[in-house]
Amino acid sequence: MAPRVRLLLLFVIWTLADPVRLGSDSEGDGGWQQRGPREPAAVAEEERCTVERRADLSYAEFVQYYAFSRPVILQGLTDNSRFRALCSRERLLASFGNNVVRLSTANTYSYQKVDLPFQEYVEQLLHPQDPTSLGNDTLYFFGDNNFTEWASLFQHYSPPTFSLLGTTPAYSFGIAGAGSGVPFHWHGPGFSEVIYGRKRWFLYPHEKTPEFHPNETTLSWLQNIYPALTPSARPLECTIHTGAVFS
């Protein structure tokens, strides 16, 4: 019998780690942290993690216990230090600032797309999520990649070595402001690696439907709906940091 592929309803909320000083690259933020040292983070660090972490996972174990049944956080699986260095704010703007990127709205029904130069997005729209904004008014760069124009960057990325038979990999690269995120959506098997900052994940199994408004942002859900959830209604969740791979 063929293994049953898991379907998860999930969303991701992006947050940026606190550097020692504004724009500092020495602490590993790549120059992407654009708020002052005393300004509070858009989303506080959350230590609660209900997803298993593995640093010594074999491919056989991955296929048997996780690939088709439950999520896992893989640590030490790849070394993308070279790719990470190329993804600093300064280097990306120098190499791709004039490239036109396609932005998406943060809701589940309009799927509006907006094209503009990457430098304009970074300098004018890449800011912490406004808690009062609607999803339709929130734009971020995520997933709509021109692999020809960005080939000189993507060729340095080392993907996870765990592949699944019968699947074809498709890369998705994105940059978003602190506190922003994609809305709940269905997803099959895949990998997601953090290059800078941190990402907080929320996942429901396919048989559960979370309460969320399709035009409210993920930050709004986190602030207004999540705190009132009973333990049985809460999703699986975890925050992953630079270098970790979520699957």
Side-chain angles (χ1 to χ4, degrees), residues 39-206:
E39 186 178 346
V43 180
E45 177 71 28
E46 175 57 63
E47 295 298 333
R48 182 175 183 267
C49 181
T50 54
V51 178
E52 189 175 357
R53 298 176 186 268
R54 293 292 302 270
D56 56 350
L57 191 66
S58 69
Y59 177 71
E61 290 176 308
F62 173 72
V63 172
Q64 181 177 0
Y65 299 112
Y66 302 101
F68 302 103
S69 57
R70 63 182 186 270
V72 63
I73 297 168
L74 305 170
Q75 298 174 305
L77 186 63
T78 59
D79 179 7
N80 274 306
S81 54
R82 170 61 177 163
F83 182 77
R84 182 172 300 111
L86 294 173
C87 288
S88 71
R89 189 177 192 270
E90 181 180 3
R91 291 193 181 188
L92 281 188
L93 287 178
S95 300
F96 306 102
N98 294 327
N99 285 24
V100 173
V101 294
R102 175 155 291 185
L103 310 181
S104 305
T105 53
N107 62 48
T108 59
Y109 62 87
S110 75
Y111 297 105
Q112 179 186 356
K113 303 293 184 180
V114 175
D115 295 337
L116 78 170
F118 178 62
Q119 183 160 347
E120 183 177 335
Y121 167 64
V122 170
E123 294 181 348
Q124 298 184 21
L125 297 181
L126 190 63
H127 46 65
Q129 176 70 57
D130 181 352
T132 65
S133 294
L134 295 177
N136 200 47
D137 299 322
T138 302
L139 293 168
Y140 50 73
F141 174 42
F142 180 70
D144 286 298
N145 306 130
N146 185 319
F147 286 91
T148 300
E149 292 185 352
W150 292 71
S152 61
L153 173 67
F154 296 153
Q155 68 180 349
H156 295 285
Y157 178 70
S158 299
T161 56
F162 293 172
S163 60
L164 299 176
L165 293 176
T167 63
T168 301
Y171 293 162
S172 181
F173 174 79
I175 302 169
S180 62
V182 297
F184 277 111
H185 61 285
W186 292 103
H187 220 293
F191 295 99
S192 178
E193 181 172 353
V194 173
I195 303 303
Y196 283 114
R198 49 192 169 97
K199 293 175 72 173
R200 187 174 175 185
W201 291 80
F202 300 88
L203 305 98
Y204 282 97
H206 71 283

